[in-house]
Amino acid sequence: RVIDPKKPVIVTAFDWSKPKSFHFLRPIDMPNIIYQAHMYEPMAFTYQKAGKPPRTYPGRIYGKQVDKGTLREYLQPVRDFQLAYNVPIYIGEFSAVRWAPGAEAWLNDVISIFEEYGWDWSYHAYRESHMWDLELTEDGGNKERATKPTARLQVLKKWWAGNKRACE
């Protein structure tokens, strides 16, 4: 901060910056601090293995109905932190594996919550891994490029098109 007091600094919570970790985070008394969270909840859906019995969103996962309301519950510690301390929030990672049934609905629901709360976000990871790649088919048994935009890519493009702040 002595060298550059204006540069934003991103601070993450412990445990891979999971939303529940925000219960333990305390704000830093410095200007231009941005607090980052990652969203992969419920992990039984977002990280499911290809070839195993699929977990669908929305749907029952480990006996609990998971839908947009449940996603809000997962994100509530971050929202509480934001409101308590009036700080900016950045979702630096979120995704669901490409073969997860309903991944496009999960993406749409989490992004709509991020936008509602005024959080900045970036998708993880556009082409970095075959697990998350928006341009590969939803079939987890292969790594083929889709011949038309995937449902997941269409969701992201819809939200990117509405992001006027980045274009101003």
Short mmCIF file of all heavy atoms in Angstrom, two decimals, residues 13 17-23 25 35-39 72-85 87-91 114 117 119:
data_model
loop_
_atom_site.label_atom_id
_atom_site.label_comp_id
_atom_site.label_asym_id
_atom_site.label_seq_id
_atom_site.Cartn_x
_atom_site.Cartn_y
_atom_site.Cartn_z
N ALA A 13 -11.04 -15.60 1.33
CA ALA A 13 -11.22 -16.31 2.59
C ALA A 13 -10.47 -17.64 2.53
O ALA A 13 -10.08 -18.08 1.45
CB ALA A 13 -12.71 -16.56 2.84
N SER A 17 -11.74 -20.16 -0.48
CA SER A 17 -12.67 -19.03 -0.56
C SER A 17 -14.12 -19.46 -0.74
O SER A 17 -14.90 -18.80 -1.42
CB SER A 17 -12.24 -18.05 -1.66
OG SER A 17 -12.66 -16.76 -1.33
N LYS A 18 -14.46 -20.57 -0.10
CA LYS A 18 -15.85 -21.04 -0.14
C LYS A 18 -16.74 -20.02 0.57
O LYS A 18 -16.32 -19.37 1.53
CB LYS A 18 -15.97 -22.39 0.55
CG LYS A 18 -15.30 -23.51 -0.20
CD LYS A 18 -15.42 -24.81 0.57
CE LYS A 18 -14.68 -25.93 -0.13
NZ LYS A 18 -14.66 -27.17 0.66
N PRO A 19 -17.99 -19.90 0.14
CA PRO A 19 -18.89 -18.94 0.79
C PRO A 19 -18.98 -19.10 2.30
O PRO A 19 -18.99 -18.10 3.03
CB PRO A 19 -20.23 -19.22 0.10
CG PRO A 19 -19.85 -19.68 -1.26
CD PRO A 19 -18.62 -20.51 -1.04
N LYS A 20 -19.02 -20.35 2.79
CA LYS A 20 -19.15 -20.55 4.24
C LYS A 20 -17.95 -19.99 5.01
O LYS A 20 -18.07 -19.69 6.20
CB LYS A 20 -19.38 -22.02 4.57
CG LYS A 20 -18.22 -22.92 4.25
CD LYS A 20 -18.57 -24.37 4.54
CE LYS A 20 -17.40 -25.29 4.19
NZ LYS A 20 -17.73 -26.69 4.43
N SER A 21 -16.81 -19.83 4.35
CA SER A 21 -15.63 -19.29 5.01
C SER A 21 -15.77 -17.81 5.35
O SER A 21 -15.02 -17.29 6.18
CB SER A 21 -14.40 -19.49 4.12
OG SER A 21 -14.17 -20.85 3.90
N PHE A 22 -16.72 -17.13 4.74
CA PHE A 22 -16.92 -15.71 5.02
C PHE A 22 -17.44 -15.47 6.44
O PHE A 22 -17.39 -14.35 6.93
CB PHE A 22 -17.82 -15.08 3.97
CG PHE A 22 -17.06 -14.62 2.75
CD1 PHE A 22 -16.51 -15.55 1.88
CD2 PHE A 22 -16.87 -13.27 2.50
CE1 PHE A 22 -15.79 -15.14 0.77
CE2 PHE A 22 -16.14 -12.85 1.39
CZ PHE A 22 -15.60 -13.79 0.53
N HIS A 23 -17.95 -16.51 7.11
CA HIS A 23 -18.34 -16.37 8.52
C HIS A 23 -17.14 -15.99 9.37
O HIS A 23 -17.28 -15.36 10.42
CB HIS A 23 -18.92 -17.68 9.06
CG HIS A 23 -20.31 -17.98 8.60
ND1 HIS A 23 -21.37 -17.14 8.82
CD2 HIS A 23 -20.80 -19.04 7.92
CE1 HIS A 23 -22.46 -17.66 8.32
NE2 HIS A 23 -22.15 -18.82 7.75
N LEU A 25 -14.22 -14.44 8.12
CA LEU A 25 -13.42 -13.36 7.54
C LEU A 25 -13.75 -12.03 8.21
O LEU A 25 -14.90 -11.77 8.57
CB LEU A 25 -13.72 -13.26 6.03
CG LEU A 25 -12.84 -12.36 5.19
CD1 LEU A 25 -11.39 -12.81 5.22
CD2 LEU A 25 -13.34 -12.35 3.75
N TYR A 35 -13.21 -8.31 -1.91
CA TYR A 35 -13.27 -9.63 -1.28
C TYR A 35 -13.78 -10.66 -2.30
O TYR A 35 -14.82 -10.47 -2.91
CB TYR A 35 -14.15 -9.58 -0.04
CG TYR A 35 -13.54 -8.66 0.99
CD1 TYR A 35 -13.83 -7.29 1.00
CD2 TYR A 35 -12.61 -9.15 1.90
CE1 TYR A 35 -13.22 -6.44 1.90
CE2 TYR A 35 -12.00 -8.29 2.82
CZ TYR A 35 -12.31 -6.94 2.81
OH TYR A 35 -11.71 -6.09 3.70
N GLN A 36 -13.00 -11.74 -2.44
CA GLN A 36 -13.29 -12.74 -3.45
C GLN A 36 -13.85 -14.02 -2.84
O GLN A 36 -13.33 -14.51 -1.84
CB GLN A 36 -12.03 -13.10 -4.24
CG GLN A 36 -12.27 -14.18 -5.25
CD GLN A 36 -11.01 -14.64 -5.96
OE1 GLN A 36 -11.06 -14.91 -7.13
NE2 GLN A 36 -9.89 -14.73 -5.27
N ALA A 37 -14.87 -14.56 -3.50
CA ALA A 37 -15.41 -15.87 -3.15
C ALA A 37 -15.39 -16.76 -4.38
O ALA A 37 -15.31 -16.27 -5.52
CB ALA A 37 -16.84 -15.73 -2.63
N HIS A 38 -15.43 -18.06 -4.16
CA HIS A 38 -15.58 -19.04 -5.23
C HIS A 38 -16.92 -19.74 -5.00
O HIS A 38 -17.32 -19.93 -3.85
CB HIS A 38 -14.48 -20.08 -5.20
CG HIS A 38 -13.12 -19.52 -5.47
ND1 HIS A 38 -11.98 -20.27 -5.33
CD2 HIS A 38 -12.70 -18.29 -5.86
CE1 HIS A 38 -10.92 -19.52 -5.63
NE2 HIS A 38 -11.34 -18.32 -5.95
N MET A 39 -17.61 -20.11 -6.07
CA MET A 39 -18.90 -20.78 -5.93
C MET A 39 -18.93 -22.08 -6.72
O MET A 39 -18.97 -22.07 -7.95
CB MET A 39 -20.03 -19.85 -6.40
CG MET A 39 -21.40 -20.45 -6.34
SD MET A 39 -21.80 -21.10 -4.68
CE MET A 39 -23.51 -21.52 -4.93
N ARG A 72 -28.90 -19.48 -3.00
CA ARG A 72 -28.88 -18.27 -2.17
C ARG A 72 -28.41 -18.59 -0.75
O ARG A 72 -27.66 -17.82 -0.15
CB ARG A 72 -30.27 -17.64 -2.10
CG ARG A 72 -30.68 -16.86 -3.28
CD ARG A 72 -32.06 -16.20 -3.00
NE ARG A 72 -32.61 -15.69 -4.20
CZ ARG A 72 -32.22 -14.57 -4.80
NH1 ARG A 72 -31.24 -13.87 -4.28
NH2 ARG A 72 -32.79 -14.17 -5.91
N GLU A 73 -28.88 -19.71 -0.21
CA GLU A 73 -28.47 -20.12 1.13
C GLU A 73 -26.95 -20.34 1.18
O GLU A 73 -26.30 -19.91 2.14
CB GLU A 73 -29.19 -21.41 1.54
CG GLU A 73 -30.67 -21.23 1.79
CD GLU A 73 -31.38 -22.56 2.01
OE1 GLU A 73 -30.72 -23.58 2.32
OE2 GLU A 73 -32.62 -22.58 1.86
N TYR A 74 -26.42 -21.02 0.17
CA TYR A 74 -24.96 -21.24 0.13
C TYR A 74 -24.21 -19.90 0.09
O TYR A 74 -23.15 -19.76 0.70
CB TYR A 74 -24.57 -22.05 -1.10
CG TYR A 74 -24.89 -23.52 -1.03
CD1 TYR A 74 -25.70 -24.12 -1.99
CD2 TYR A 74 -24.36 -24.33 -0.03
CE1 TYR A 74 -25.98 -25.48 -1.95
CE2 TYR A 74 -24.64 -25.69 0.03
CZ TYR A 74 -25.46 -26.26 -0.93
OH TYR A 74 -25.73 -27.59 -0.89
N LEU A 75 -24.74 -18.94 -0.64
CA LEU A 75 -24.06 -17.65 -0.82
C LEU A 75 -24.35 -16.64 0.30
O LEU A 75 -23.73 -15.58 0.35
CB LEU A 75 -24.47 -17.04 -2.17
CG LEU A 75 -23.90 -17.77 -3.39
CD1 LEU A 75 -24.62 -17.33 -4.66
CD2 LEU A 75 -22.40 -17.54 -3.50
N GLN A 76 -25.25 -16.97 1.20
CA GLN A 76 -25.67 -16.01 2.23
C GLN A 76 -24.51 -15.48 3.10
O GLN A 76 -24.49 -14.29 3.42
CB GLN A 76 -26.76 -16.61 3.12
CG GLN A 76 -27.46 -15.58 3.99
CD GLN A 76 -28.14 -14.48 3.18
OE1 GLN A 76 -28.86 -14.76 2.24
NE2 GLN A 76 -27.92 -13.22 3.54
N PRO A 77 -23.52 -16.31 3.48
CA PRO A 77 -22.42 -15.74 4.27
C PRO A 77 -21.67 -14.62 3.53
O PRO A 77 -21.24 -13.65 4.16
CB PRO A 77 -21.50 -16.93 4.52
CG PRO A 77 -22.38 -18.13 4.43
CD PRO A 77 -23.40 -17.78 3.37
N VAL A 78 -21.55 -14.73 2.23
CA VAL A 78 -20.89 -13.68 1.44
C VAL A 78 -21.78 -12.44 1.42
O VAL A 78 -21.30 -11.32 1.60
CB VAL A 78 -20.58 -14.17 0.01
CG1 VAL A 78 -19.86 -13.08 -0.78
CG2 VAL A 78 -19.77 -15.45 0.03
N ARG A 79 -23.06 -12.64 1.21
CA ARG A 79 -24.01 -11.52 1.19
C ARG A 79 -24.02 -10.81 2.55
O ARG A 79 -24.02 -9.58 2.62
CB ARG A 79 -25.40 -12.02 0.83
CG ARG A 79 -26.47 -10.95 0.77
CD ARG A 79 -26.24 -9.99 -0.35
NE ARG A 79 -27.42 -9.15 -0.52
CZ ARG A 79 -27.40 -7.97 -1.10
NH1 ARG A 79 -26.28 -7.51 -1.62
NH2 ARG A 79 -28.49 -7.27 -1.20
N ASP A 80 -24.04 -11.59 3.62
CA ASP A 80 -24.03 -11.00 4.97
C ASP A 80 -22.77 -10.15 5.18
O ASP A 80 -22.84 -9.06 5.74
CB ASP A 80 -24.10 -12.09 6.04
CG ASP A 80 -25.45 -12.79 6.08
OD1 ASP A 80 -26.44 -12.28 5.51
OD2 ASP A 80 -25.51 -13.89 6.68
N PHE A 81 -21.63 -10.67 4.73
CA PHE A 81 -20.36 -9.94 4.85
C PHE A 81 -20.43 -8.64 4.05
O PHE A 81 -20.05 -7.58 4.55
CB PHE A 81 -19.22 -10.83 4.34
CG PHE A 81 -17.85 -10.25 4.54
CD1 PHE A 81 -17.17 -10.43 5.73
CD2 PHE A 81 -17.22 -9.54 3.53
CE1 PHE A 81 -15.90 -9.91 5.93
CE2 PHE A 81 -15.96 -9.02 3.70
CZ PHE A 81 -15.29 -9.20 4.91
N GLN A 82 -20.92 -8.72 2.84
CA GLN A 82 -21.04 -7.53 1.99
C GLN A 82 -21.90 -6.46 2.67
O GLN A 82 -21.53 -5.29 2.73
CB GLN A 82 -21.66 -7.91 0.65
CG GLN A 82 -21.94 -6.72 -0.25
CD GLN A 82 -22.84 -7.08 -1.43
OE1 GLN A 82 -23.66 -7.99 -1.36
NE2 GLN A 82 -22.68 -6.34 -2.51
N LEU A 83 -23.06 -6.87 3.18
CA LEU A 83 -23.98 -5.91 3.79
C LEU A 83 -23.46 -5.38 5.12
O LEU A 83 -23.63 -4.20 5.43
CB LEU A 83 -25.35 -6.55 3.96
CG LEU A 83 -26.07 -6.91 2.66
CD1 LEU A 83 -27.36 -7.68 2.96
CD2 LEU A 83 -26.33 -5.68 1.81
N ALA A 84 -22.82 -6.23 5.91
CA ALA A 84 -22.32 -5.81 7.22
C ALA A 84 -21.20 -4.78 7.10
O ALA A 84 -21.11 -3.86 7.92
CB ALA A 84 -21.84 -7.02 8.01
N TYR A 85 -20.35 -4.94 6.07
CA TYR A 85 -19.16 -4.10 5.97
C TYR A 85 -19.16 -3.17 4.76
O TYR A 85 -18.19 -2.43 4.57
CB TYR A 85 -17.91 -4.98 5.97
CG TYR A 85 -17.81 -5.82 7.23
CD1 TYR A 85 -18.00 -7.20 7.17
CD2 TYR A 85 -17.56 -5.24 8.47
CE1 TYR A 85 -17.93 -7.98 8.32
CE2 TYR A 85 -17.49 -6.01 9.62
CZ TYR A 85 -17.68 -7.38 9.53
OH TYR A 85 -17.60 -8.13 10.67
N VAL A 87 -18.74 -3.66 1.48
CA VAL A 87 -17.52 -3.91 0.71
C VAL A 87 -17.87 -4.53 -0.64
O VAL A 87 -18.90 -5.19 -0.79
CB VAL A 87 -16.56 -4.84 1.48
CG1 VAL A 87 -16.05 -4.16 2.75
CG2 VAL A 87 -17.22 -6.17 1.81
N PRO A 88 -16.98 -4.37 -1.64
CA PRO A 88 -17.21 -5.00 -2.93
C PRO A 88 -16.88 -6.50 -2.90
O PRO A 88 -15.95 -6.92 -2.22
CB PRO A 88 -16.27 -4.25 -3.88
CG PRO A 88 -15.21 -3.68 -3.00
CD PRO A 88 -15.82 -3.46 -1.65
N ILE A 89 -17.66 -7.25 -3.65
CA ILE A 89 -17.49 -8.70 -3.74
C ILE A 89 -17.20 -9.07 -5.18
O ILE A 89 -17.82 -8.56 -6.12
CB ILE A 89 -18.75 -9.45 -3.25
CG1 ILE A 89 -19.08 -9.09 -1.80
CG2 ILE A 89 -18.61 -10.96 -3.46
CD1 ILE A 89 -18.06 -9.53 -0.77
N TYR A 90 -16.25 -9.99 -5.33
CA TYR A 90 -15.88 -10.52 -6.64
C TYR A 90 -15.94 -12.04 -6.58
O TYR A 90 -15.30 -12.65 -5.71
CB TYR A 90 -14.47 -10.05 -7.00
CG TYR A 90 -13.83 -10.75 -8.16
CD1 TYR A 90 -14.41 -10.76 -9.42
CD2 TYR A 90 -12.61 -11.39 -8.01
CE1 TYR A 90 -13.80 -11.41 -10.49
CE2 TYR A 90 -11.98 -12.03 -9.06
CZ TYR A 90 -12.59 -12.03 -10.30
OH TYR A 90 -11.99 -12.66 -11.35
N ILE A 91 -16.72 -12.65 -7.46
CA ILE A 91 -16.74 -14.11 -7.56
C ILE A 91 -15.68 -14.46 -8.60
O ILE A 91 -15.89 -14.31 -9.80
CB ILE A 91 -18.13 -14.63 -7.97
CG1 ILE A 91 -19.20 -14.14 -6.99
CG2 ILE A 91 -18.10 -16.16 -8.06
CD1 ILE A 91 -19.05 -14.61 -5.57
N PHE A 114 -25.53 -13.28 -8.49
CA PHE A 114 -24.39 -12.37 -8.48
C PHE A 114 -24.81 -10.98 -8.96
O PHE A 114 -24.46 -9.96 -8.35
CB PHE A 114 -23.25 -12.86 -9.39
CG PHE A 114 -22.71 -14.23 -9.10
CD1 PHE A 114 -22.02 -14.91 -10.10
CD2 PHE A 114 -22.86 -14.86 -7.86
CE1 PHE A 114 -21.49 -16.17 -9.88
CE2 PHE A 114 -22.34 -16.12 -7.64
CZ PHE A 114 -21.65 -16.78 -8.64
N TYR A 117 -27.03 -9.03 -6.52
CA TYR A 117 -26.29 -8.51 -5.37
C TYR A 117 -25.23 -7.48 -5.75
O TYR A 117 -24.56 -6.94 -4.88
CB TYR A 117 -25.62 -9.66 -4.62
CG TYR A 117 -26.58 -10.62 -3.93
CD1 TYR A 117 -26.14 -11.87 -3.53
CD2 TYR A 117 -27.92 -10.30 -3.69
CE1 TYR A 117 -26.99 -12.77 -2.89
CE2 TYR A 117 -28.77 -11.19 -3.06
CZ TYR A 117 -28.31 -12.42 -2.67
OH TYR A 117 -29.15 -13.30 -2.04
N TRP A 119 -22.45 -8.07 -7.49
CA TRP A 119 -21.12 -8.67 -7.42
C TRP A 119 -20.51 -8.76 -8.81
O TRP A 119 -21.19 -9.07 -9.79
CB TRP A 119 -21.18 -10.07 -6.82
CG TRP A 119 -21.68 -10.13 -5.41
CD1 TRP A 119 -21.89 -9.09 -4.55
CD2 TRP A 119 -22.05 -11.31 -4.70
NE1 TRP A 119 -22.36 -9.55 -3.34
CE2 TRP A 119 -22.47 -10.91 -3.41
CE3 TRP A 119 -22.07 -12.66 -5.02
CZ2 TRP A 119 -22.89 -11.82 -2.44
CZ3 TRP A 119 -22.50 -13.57 -4.06
CH2 TRP A 119 -22.90 -13.15 -2.78
#
